Amino acid sequence: MSRRSLTSLLLAVVLVATGCTTPDPPTLNDGAALVERWRIPSPVSGWDFTDREFGLIGQDRRLISVDPASGALRWSLDLPDGYRVTRDSVSVAAGAVVVRGPGGFRVVSATDGTVLWQRESTGTVVADPAGLLLAECRGKGCELSSWDLHRGERLWSRETGEPVEPVLSTPYQCECVFLLGERTISSIVLDDGRVPWSMARPAGVTRLIPALYRVILFTPPARPGCAAVLRGTDVGTVHWTREIPTTCDAAGPVSGDELAVPVEGGVEMVNSYTGANRTIPLGEGETLVADRITWTPGIGYRDLDDREAPPAQVPAPADGRPAVVEPEAGLWLLRSGGGLALWSRVHGIRWTGPEPALIASVDRLVYLDGADLVGVGPPDGAGW
């Protein structure tokens, strides 16, 4: 080793040992007060859809892409009459944006907003990084077809012997789509149309919930017992079953590493992998308003996983409708007062402002201030 190389190596070792390394860039959760970083005339007056990865904001027929760091408007697209950008009508996969309309769908580049391809169909569409699955069901079966997201080329097609509902898997389970049929439940690979597994659909199952490592089969509560049934499955095998008495109007569990099911006097937490369950008691008037976050009048928002911690010290919502707009690691964007509050476990209230707002990246919060779209973040040099 040369003298210069040895000197560089020793310097690097000393810097690491003494902690003299480049610190991480500041985030919304750092100590410095957040400041306005940019402001632009807003192309939308609100939003019904957002995507953090590509800075997408959608309202009615308009879809835009904004750089959260600088506020630069990357592109804006107005869709045809009949289209509406909502959380249910838009999906993003592999840099492509799929927008479903009344008689078809369009696939748009998330990079520049150009329409890559479109197709007329009244079928169900789901998008996955491996491709787009179109299910066109009529009578006693469906025609399934898989399409290349960016080129619009059909990869394969096949018929099913029963109506099916496509359900996206999670990346931890498979590069496939689950099919909830009248008689069976199966998975299908988008690349080549293979069906790796299939199982009989248990009686009463109405919904598939893809959890982290299991597919949860949900049977809703019914009178007289009003018990919900959860089954944890993997590649067509049921590994555990839990019957949980709940309320007859329970819509279903809130999904995560654990499934949260409201029960009398508390919340039943079910481990999605093992099926192990535990009950967390709730106080008087306390309700679950989001995954792991509860609201109690006169007390505030609390974390189910840290019952000993003090509640979030934010004003109650003026209209009496508590909600968690967005939970982020160490941060909650909460309905509070006449608008929203960004609350940190460590630093308390980080920002307050009007609705709507979103956590656009780890270092930017974007909100609508009248006719302007505004980006808030740590000041230059904070944390360095």
Side-chain angles (χ1 to χ4, degrees):
M1 180 180 290
S2 68
R3 184 187 296 262
R4 177 177 295 178
S5 298
L6 180 59
T7 301
S8 298
L9 177 61
L10 290 173
L11 177 60
V13 171
V14 170
L15 288 173
V16 172
T18 58
C20 297
T21 57
T22 302
D24 293 331
T27 70
L28 292 171
N29 204 18
D30 290 327
L34 303 181
V35 299
E36 184 174 309
R37 299 301 304 268
W38 54 261
R39 177 181 290 262
I40 63 171
S42 181
V44 293
S45 59
W47 50 76
D48 302 300
F49 167 82
T50 61
D51 176 79
R52 176 168 163 165
E53 181 180 0
F54 293 100
L56 301 179
I57 297 175
Q59 180 194 33
D60 198 16
R61 291 167 43 209
R62 177 166 292 179
L63 190 62
I64 68 172
S65 175
V66 177
D67 180 357
S70 67
L73 181 64
R74 297 183 180 120
W75 54 265
S76 176
L77 175 67
D78 288 325
L79 295 159
D81 288 340
Y83 278 76
R84 181 171 175 78
V85 180
T86 69
R87 192 176 301 175
D88 296 327
S89 69
V90 181
S91 52
V92 183
V97 186
V98 180
V99 188
R100 294 171 286 281
F105 60 89
R106 294 190 169 202
V107 182
V108 178
S109 167
T111 304
D112 57 20
T114 58
V115 178
L116 300 175
W117 60 284
Q118 56 188 319
R119 181 177 173 83
E120 293 183 1
S121 173
T122 57
T124 302
V125 178
V126 294
D128 180 88
L132 178 148
L133 182 72
L134 173 60
E136 298 175 293
C137 300
R138 301 177 188 86
K140 297 183 179 180
C142 302
E143 180 184 0
L144 302 181
S145 54
S146 180
W147 302 75
D148 183 279
L149 269 171
H150 293 272
R151 297 191 301 272
E153 298 175 355
R154 177 150 48 185
L155 304 178
W156 53 263
S157 63
R158 62 183 299 165
E159 299 284 339
T160 68
E162 59 179 332
V164 296
E165 175 191 348
V167 179
L168 281 175
S169 68
T170 69
Y172 301 97
Q173 292 163 338
C174 62
E175 292 186 356
C176 65
V177 172
F178 303 123
L179 302 176
L180 177 61
E182 289 183 342
R183 301 182 301 276
T184 65
I185 299 171
S186 59
S187 69
I188 193 163
V189 180
L190 295 188
D191 286 343
D192 54 18
R194 287 183 298 110
V195 178
W197 59 264
S198 181
M199 63 179 289
R201 176 176 175 170
V205 170
T206 61
R207 182 175 156 207
L208 299 188
I209 305 172
L212 190 60
Y213 297 113
R214 299 283 194 220
V215 181
I216 310 302
L217 311 186
F218 176 66
T219 301
R223 288 180 171 82
C226 293
V229 180
L230 306 177
R231 295 176 174 88
T233 70
D234 185 35
V235 294
T237 300
V238 177
H239 288 270
W240 56 261
T241 301
R242 290 290 176 270
E243 184 173 322
I244 302 173
T246 180
T247 60
C248 280
D249 57 353
V254 179
S255 182
D257 292 343
E258 290 185 294
L259 304 159
V261 182
V263 296
E264 185 176 356
V267 177
E268 194 78 5
M269 308 300 296
V270 182
N271 184 287
S272 62
Y273 185 76
T274 65
N277 55 312
R278 60 193 175 100
T279 302
I280 300 179
L282 296 183
E284 185 176 355
E286 188 175 14
T287 57
L288 186 68
V289 293
D291 182 23
R292 303 294 198 279
I293 302 173
T294 68
W295 165 261
T296 308
I299 296 177
Y301 297 95
R302 303 191 69 167
D303 189 340
L304 270 179
D305 288 333
D306 193 0
R307 304 294 284 170
E308 300 304 318
Q313 298 297 313
V314 301
D319 61 4
R321 294 169 46 229
V324 181
V325 176
E326 197 170 0
E328 184 68 22
L331 289 170
W332 296 347
L333 185 57
L334 306 167
R335 296 199 77 242
S336 170
L340 300 173
L342 182 69
W343 178 82
S344 162
R345 287 178 180 272
V346 177
H347 302 291
I349 296 177
R350 303 287 290 148
W351 169 89
T352 58
E355 296 186 78
L358 63 102
I359 300 173
S361 63
V362 295
D363 62 353
R364 288 293 184 274
L365 178 140
V366 174
Y367 75 100
L368 197 62
D369 183 17
D372 291 341
L373 199 62
V374 184
V376 173
D380 282 331
W384 290 85

